[in-house]
């Protein structure tokens, strides 16, 4: 445990100009006293860790010290090679850079670990797009990706419904969701972060000016929040459904999983027939009809009456069809 912590401490100091004892203690999940002892142990082992005294002091490596990745275990090396998404890198125009980086990492590994990239690739593969949908790479994705990496403002013509608008944007990050690329960006100079579909960009011009990133912006957190907001925003209607035990099990696979989970959590106990009645948020009556049809006789729509009548009509037509 201590050896792994010492290696992590060296790598942290190698990646930053300086770190305080409190920062290292937080990263390593130990006390500041342990950080002091570890720094002393590294110094005695020949690693040039220097402690700056005083209020603004901290720990740093001196003399341009760099360590080779000889402290990696096999599982760590294999996990490292799993961190890339080959298809996404290729679509952003970064395949060559990623390949070069993998070669450099491989060269720094111990000989016994240099097959980690092959063993990882043979055991795990990420296929991001949905089934039954041919993914299309947006033509302007590489241009947008370059601007994201370089913190350069872009002027973009964006199709919003039937209208094309022009915006000056500060591109903060890219997200690949179910085969669709999205850009998270601020409208320059002081707009709030918004989400744009890359395939709706009709033209993108990269400016010479770099913008200053908001260091507090958290791309994963922002995307999770917006994705949940979007999912909730489209659920504008409600239906009341009576479900069998099998219907309860299958409901999250037929409708929005978050809506299904919340509806089931609020449901009363099963009735005398073992059926559970839920009030389910849905996008529209038409969408609910399509989704709940997948549950067949395991779901009985109680309201609204118009939707119940549609299912009754479906049932009558099916009965007549199979009675032939």
């Amino acid at each position: 445990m201590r050896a792994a912590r010492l290696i992590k401490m060296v790598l942290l100091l190698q990646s930053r100009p300086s770190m305080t004892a409190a920062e290292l203690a937080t990263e390593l999940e130990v006390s500041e006293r342990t950080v002091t002892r570890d720094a002393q142990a590294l110094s005695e082992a020949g690693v040039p860790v220097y402690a700056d005294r005083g209020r603004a002091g901290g720990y740093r490596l001196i003399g341009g010290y760099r360590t080779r990745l000889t402290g990696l275990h096999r599982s760590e090396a294999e996990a490292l090679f799993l961190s890339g998404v080959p298809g996404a890198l290729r679509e952003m125009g970064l395949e060559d850079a990623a390949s070069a980086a993998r070669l450099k990492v491989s060269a720094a590994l111990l000989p016994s670990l240099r097959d980690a990239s092959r063993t990882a690739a043979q055991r795990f593969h990420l296929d991001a797009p949905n089934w039954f949908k041919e993914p299309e790479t947006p033509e302007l994705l590489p241009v947008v990706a370059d601007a994201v990496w370089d913190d350069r403002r872009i002027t973009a013509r964006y199709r919003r419904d039937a209208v094309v608008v022009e915006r000056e944007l500060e591109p903060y990050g890219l997200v690949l969701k179910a085969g669709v690329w999205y850009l998270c960006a601020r409208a320059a100079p002081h707009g709030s972060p918004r989400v744009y579909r890359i395939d709706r960009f009709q033209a993108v011009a990269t400016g010479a000016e770099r913008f200053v990133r908001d260091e507090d912006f958290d791309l994963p957190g922002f995307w999770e929040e917006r994705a949940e907001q979007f999912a909730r925003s489209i659920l504008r209607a409600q239906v009341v459904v009576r479900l069998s035990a099998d219907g309860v099990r299958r409901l999250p696979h037929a409708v929005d999983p978050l809506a299904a989970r919340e509806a089931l959590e609020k449901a009363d106990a099963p009735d005398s027939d073992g059926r559970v009645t839920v009030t389910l948020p849905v996008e529209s009556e038409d969408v609910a009809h399509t989704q709940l049809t997948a549950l067949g006789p395991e779901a009985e729509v109680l309201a609204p009456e118009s939707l119940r009548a549609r299912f009754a009509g479906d049932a009558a037509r099916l009965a007549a069809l199979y009675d032939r």
Side-chain angles (χ1 to χ4, degrees):
M1 282 291 292
R2 191 188 187 199
R5 188 175 71 242
L6 291 174
I7 291 170
K8 184 176 180 180
M9 183 174 180
V10 173
L11 294 175
L12 284 169
L13 293 174
Q14 189 171 293
S15 65
R16 306 179 194 180
S18 176
M19 294 184 70
T20 66
E23 290 171 338
L24 284 167
T26 299
E27 291 281 356
L28 299 172
E29 298 181 347
V30 295
S31 67
E32 292 186 30
R33 182 173 295 181
T34 299
V35 168
T36 302
R37 288 198 297 264
D38 285 353
Q40 180 65 30
L42 286 171
S43 181
E44 292 172 356
V47 178
V49 178
Y50 182 79
D52 290 314
R53 305 296 180 184
R55 198 171 192 180
Y59 293 92
R60 59 187 174 89
L61 294 174
I62 60 175
Y65 179 84
R66 309 293 291 178
T67 181
R68 289 170 63 85
L69 300 178
T70 52
L72 288 178
H73 298 292
R74 169 165 291 278
S75 60
E76 294 170 331
E78 290 173 343
L80 177 64
F81 285 103
L82 282 175
S83 62
V85 185
L89 292 171
R90 182 173 58 251
E91 292 178 8
M92 288 190 291
L94 296 174
E95 186 175 27
D96 290 343
S99 177
R102 286 193 292 269
L103 285 173
K104 290 178 181 179
V105 171
S106 295
L109 292 172
L110 289 171
S112 60
L113 298 179
R114 286 177 186 165
D115 66 340
S117 62
R118 181 184 60 81
T119 57
Q122 293 303 317
R123 286 164 174 78
F124 298 97
H125 175 69
L126 175 63
D127 184 9
N130 278 332
W131 287 103
F132 315 119
K133 182 179 180 182
E134 189 67 27
E136 294 183 4
T137 303
E139 181 180 349
L140 295 171
L141 175 61
V143 178
V144 176
D146 283 345
V148 169
W149 283 112
D150 213 21
D151 292 339
R152 291 192 184 274
R153 287 181 178 174
I154 61 173
T155 301
R157 295 180 63 220
Y158 183 79
R159 176 172 48 82
R160 190 173 61 192
D161 298 324
V163 179
V164 176
V165 297
E166 186 171 294
R167 294 284 185 270
E168 186 178 359
L169 301 174
E170 296 177 348
Y172 268 70
L174 292 166
V175 175
L176 177 61
K177 169 71 171 178
V180 180
W181 284 95
Y182 297 88
L183 173 67
C184 300
R186 291 182 187 271
H190 302 300
S192 300
R194 294 186 60 183
V195 176
Y196 303 84
R197 279 185 61 144
I198 302 292
D199 58 7
R200 293 181 182 169
F201 284 120
Q202 297 193 338
V204 174
T206 304
E209 181 183 359
R210 284 187 170 90
F211 64 91
V212 178
R213 295 179 66 92
D214 178 0
E215 296 300 329
D216 292 331
F217 180 78
D218 173 29
L219 180 60
F222 170 77
W223 177 259
E224 182 179 0
E225 179 183 341
R226 286 304 171 93
E228 184 173 332
Q229 288 177 359
F230 174 75
R232 292 182 184 278
S233 70
I234 63 174
L235 302 178
R236 301 186 182 94
Q238 287 186 335
V239 298
V240 181
V241 187
R242 189 166 174 257
L243 301 164
S244 68
D246 192 41
V248 168
R249 181 183 61 81
R250 291 165 51 189
L251 185 66
H253 304 287
V255 303
D256 178 78
L258 179 62
R261 184 172 69 248
E262 293 183 350
L264 290 169
E265 287 174 352
K266 296 176 182 178
D268 293 332
D271 60 20
S272 57
D273 296 326
R275 289 183 168 255
V276 174
T277 300
V278 299
T279 300
L280 182 70
V282 294
E283 186 174 345
S284 67
E285 187 173 309
D286 286 339
V287 172
H289 179 255
T290 301
Q291 292 175 332
L292 295 175
T293 295
L295 299 181
E298 309 306 325
E300 178 191 1
V301 173
L302 303 179
E305 185 58 39
S306 56
L307 183 58
R308 180 178 175 85
R310 289 176 69 174
F311 275 101
D314 292 345
R317 289 195 299 275
L318 278 171
L321 182 65
Y322 285 98
D323 277 346
R324 293 177 184 174

